[in-house]
């Protein structure tokens, strides 16, 4: 970081130095504001430099400013119309804004420009977008991809993905470079490669770092969404549930049930629901049964509810403790809020609950959450198999790992059993946690409009 600052001082008109400093601010200092300022300088100094526009679009996307990210990606495409990274970033930004047709077009163009998807975004997101548009056969075909699965290339891609992102840089106290050599010249079929990859991942001793087959991906991420909500006998929301259910409650309260964080429309749908509830006296966000999904979606929704610039917890990654700061363009509502959680609230849903609790935006009501405190990154391999890698470990408000412990609400209903779906959807009596949340909101003093 010091060297990057010195380079920028020595040559203030160097766009490359500004980009390097921006990367250092983002990856080392975790200062998104400073990073964006340097990237803007890089673009101003040399508007013809493609990398500066791509970097700025990515930083804006990470900061939850999807409209600006789309504009930056389009400026990159004006310089290089076939840039796969710029097309991928445009697709992600459009998806965040709810423009799935535009996102599908951008991702498709990105894969035509680079079928291998070296940027690592389009190959995983294009099938999800197609499924959300109801194009399920195309989605399954896109998951397999057009690049034939070459055994040694599969193994090398999986090995590199773990090397770059796995949270434990000791790799379970083993020589990770030695694993690369085990696949060299020995794999004669994709099946052999998948078995070798599975063994390699198992050596890390982390059951969440694993190989996921295309059928599992299709069942969770490509499932058609219905119009209602239901849970299985264990209290999990079913994959075909409608992602966002919003309704008015009595006493001027609003209710949003968020069934998953896998649907690419989830951020846009929550944004629409909150826009319609701006004037509510209070808000209940129901995360019960939500098994998680995209951590980026969780962070974006936290920004819509809490606003940018607030401490939202701490993650433990390869470089140590990293404070998480809310992003976005501003909170859409600032009234009192309660979050409902239960033993099936997991992973990215726990991340969202943690952010709203840590920022002081909401109280948690219900049962202790599931306790999947590991954030994963995914890489879709040619043929449709997916490598999942544990990238970070989330710490709770007490500074201890959430994994295996979960988040414990301060107020818990006497009966922790899963509620009947009918009571959840109608808001009728019988849902003790919902009733408790309503009581809490009705007893909160409203904010002073003159403050």
């Amino acid at each position: 970081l010091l060297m990057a600052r010195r380079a920028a001082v020595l040559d203030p008109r160097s766009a490359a130095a500004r980009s390097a400093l921006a990367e250092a601010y983002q990856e080392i200092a975790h200062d998104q504001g400073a990073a964006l300022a340097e990237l803007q300088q890089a673009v101003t100094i040399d508007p013809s430099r493609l990398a500066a526009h791509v970097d700025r679009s990515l930083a804006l996307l990470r900061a939850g400013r999807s409209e600006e990210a789309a504009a930056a990606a389009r400026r990159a495409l004006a310089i290089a119309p076939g840039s796969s990274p710029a097309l991928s970033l445009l697709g992600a930004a459009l998806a965040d804004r709810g423009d799935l047709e535009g996102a599908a077009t951008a991702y498709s163009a990105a894969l035509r420009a680079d079928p291998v998807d070296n940027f690592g975004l389009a190959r995983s997101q294009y099938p999800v977008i197609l499924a959300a548009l109801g194009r399920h056969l195309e989605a399954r075909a896109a998951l397999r991809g057009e690049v034939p699965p070459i055994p040694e290339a599969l193994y090398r891609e999986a090995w590199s993905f773990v090397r770059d992102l796995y949270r434990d840089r000791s790799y379970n106290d083993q020589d990770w470079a030695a694993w690369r050599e085990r696949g060299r010249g020995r794999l004669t079929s994709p099946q052999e490669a998948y078995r070798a990859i599975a063994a390699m991942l198992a050596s890390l001793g982390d059951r969440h770092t694993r190989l996921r087959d295309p059928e599992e991906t299709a069942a969770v991420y490509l499932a058609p969404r219905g119009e209602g909500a239901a849970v299985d006998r264990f209290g999990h929301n079913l994959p075909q549930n409608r992602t966002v259910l919003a309704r008015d409650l009595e006493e001027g309260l609003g209710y949003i049930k968020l069934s998953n964080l896998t649907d690419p429309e989830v951020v846009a749908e929550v944004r629409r629901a909150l826009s319609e509830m701006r004037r509510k006296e209070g808000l209940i966000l129901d995360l019960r049964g939500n098994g998680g999904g995209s951590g980026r979606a969780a962070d974006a929704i936290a920004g819509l509810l809490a606003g940018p610039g607030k401490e939202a917890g701490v993650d433990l990654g390869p470089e140590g403790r990293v404070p998480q700061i809310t992003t976005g363009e501003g909170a859409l509502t600032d009234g009192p809020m309660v979050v409902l959680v239960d033993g099936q609230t997991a992973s990215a849903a726990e991340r969202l609950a943690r952010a709203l609790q840590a920022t002081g935006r909401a109280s948690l009501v219900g049962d202790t959450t599931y306790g999947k405190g590991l954030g994963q990154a995914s890489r879709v391999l040619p043929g449709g198999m997916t490598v999942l890698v544990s990238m970070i470990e989330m710490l709770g408000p007490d500074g201890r790992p959430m994994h295996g412990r979960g988040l414990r609400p301060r107020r818990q209903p006497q009966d922790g059993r899963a509620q009947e779906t009918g009571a959840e959807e109608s808001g009728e009596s019988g849902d003790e946690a919902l009733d408790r949340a309503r009581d809490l909101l009705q007893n909160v003093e409203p904010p002073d409009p003159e403050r």
Side-chain angles (χ1 to χ4, degrees):
L1 177 57
L2 291 172
M3 290 176 69
R5 284 175 176 159
R6 185 180 180 190
V9 170
L10 290 173
D11 191 356
R13 296 297 300 169
S14 168
R18 295 289 182 180
S19 292
L21 180 55
E23 184 175 356
Y25 275 132
Q26 192 159 269
E27 301 298 331
I28 300 171
H30 308 292
D31 187 338
Q32 286 188 327
L36 282 169
E38 293 299 330
L39 287 170
Q40 181 57 59
Q41 286 285 340
V43 168
T44 302
I45 291 168
D46 186 358
S48 66
R49 188 167 175 265
L50 175 64
H53 293 282
V54 169
D55 289 345
R56 185 165 181 269
S57 178
L58 177 58
L60 287 166
L61 192 65
R62 287 174 171 171
R65 293 157 61 175
S66 54
E67 190 169 354
E68 293 175 78
R74 288 192 174 100
R75 283 192 286 272
L77 291 169
I79 299 168
S83 168
S84 183
L87 287 164
S88 293
L89 290 169
L90 178 60
L94 293 176
D96 280 0
R97 305 305 297 180
D99 182 2
L100 297 191
E101 289 287 357
T105 300
Y107 281 136
S108 176
L111 290 172
R112 286 197 304 273
D114 178 15
V116 178
D117 186 30
N118 287 287
F119 193 66
L121 181 60
R123 200 161 66 195
S124 63
Q125 291 304 302
Y126 184 45
V128 179
I129 297 292
L130 291 174
L133 290 168
R135 296 156 59 180
H136 298 289
L137 291 177
E138 292 178 73
R140 285 179 174 267
L143 183 63
R144 293 191 299 271
E146 296 184 3
V147 177
I150 301 170
E152 192 167 331
L154 291 172
Y155 186 88
R156 187 169 58 249
E157 186 172 347
W159 178 87
S160 298
F161 190 61
V162 175
R163 176 200 60 190
D164 294 340
L165 295 180
Y166 189 57
R167 62 190 177 90
D168 175 13
R169 281 293 184 255
S170 78
Y171 304 100
N172 200 22
D173 296 321
Q174 57 182 332
D175 181 1
W176 196 245
W179 275 102
R180 178 182 55 192
E181 301 306 315
R182 297 186 190 187
R184 194 183 298 276
R186 301 178 183 178
L187 306 173
T188 60
S189 70
Q191 288 68 32
E192 280 190 15
Y194 297 142
R195 285 193 293 269
I197 292 169
M200 176 176 62
L201 300 180
S203 74
L204 295 167
D206 173 12
R207 68 187 183 91
H208 297 288
T209 295
R210 62 186 181 88
L211 199 58
R212 183 176 64 201
D213 64 49
E215 290 306 312
E216 182 184 351
T217 296
V220 176
Y221 291 91
L222 307 186
R225 303 293 174 191
E227 290 300 315
V231 297
D232 63 18
R233 62 193 181 93
F234 300 108
H236 298 90
N237 288 320
L238 297 175
Q240 63 269 29
N241 277 355
R242 182 174 175 180
T243 299
V244 178
L245 284 168
R247 67 172 186 271
D248 296 335
L249 300 178
E250 296 177 357
E251 297 89 23
L253 303 179
Y255 171 91
I256 298 176
K257 181 173 179 60
L258 190 56
S259 70
N260 70 83
L261 289 163
T262 61
D263 189 337
E265 292 187 276
V266 62
V267 176
E269 286 195 24
V270 170
R271 184 184 288 110
R272 283 193 290 268
L274 291 176
S275 296
E276 295 173 359
M277 293 184 175
R278 285 180 183 273
R279 301 187 182 279
K280 292 295 182 185
E281 297 295 326
L283 178 66
I284 297 172
L285 178 65
D286 192 345
L287 296 179
R288 292 176 295 181
N290 189 323
S294 166
R296 194 170 73 82
D299 292 344
I301 293 169
L304 294 176
L305 290 163
K310 298 188 174 128
E311 294 186 8
V314 173
D315 289 346
L316 189 61
E319 308 304 326
R321 297 166 66 95
V322 180
Q324 298 302 294
I325 307 298
T326 54
T327 60
E329 299 161 348
L332 296 182
T333 176
D334 60 359
M337 183 177 171
V338 169
V339 178
L340 297 179
V341 295
D342 67 3
Q344 309 304 335
T345 305
S347 192
E350 289 177 286
R351 183 177 184 83
L352 174 55
R354 179 192 70 168
L356 297 174
Q357 184 183 47
T359 58
R361 181 67 183 85
S363 300
L364 306 187
V365 169
D367 295 320
T368 301
T369 61
Y370 181 81
K372 183 182 179 296
L374 298 179
Q376 293 164 293
S378 63
R379 176 74 170 172
V380 179
L381 302 175
M385 298 290 276
T386 301
V387 180
L388 300 175
V389 173
S390 295
M391 188 169 59
I392 55 97
E393 183 170 16
M394 293 179 278
L395 305 183
D398 59 359
R400 298 169 61 192
M402 290 166 51
H403 195 63
R405 298 175 57 247
L407 295 169
R408 185 175 180 84
R410 293 183 179 178
R411 302 175 178 87
Q412 292 178 289
Q414 295 177 357
D415 184 357
R417 294 174 296 178
Q419 305 298 331
E420 294 294 329
T421 301
E424 287 188 15
E425 290 200 34
S426 67
E428 297 172 355
S429 60
D431 187 339
E432 184 180 349
L434 180 58
D435 290 341
R436 188 179 292 264
R438 294 165 75 165
D439 290 342
L440 281 174
L441 290 175
Q442 289 165 22
N443 292 322
V444 172
E445 183 177 347
D448 184 352
E450 296 184 0
R451 292 183 61 183

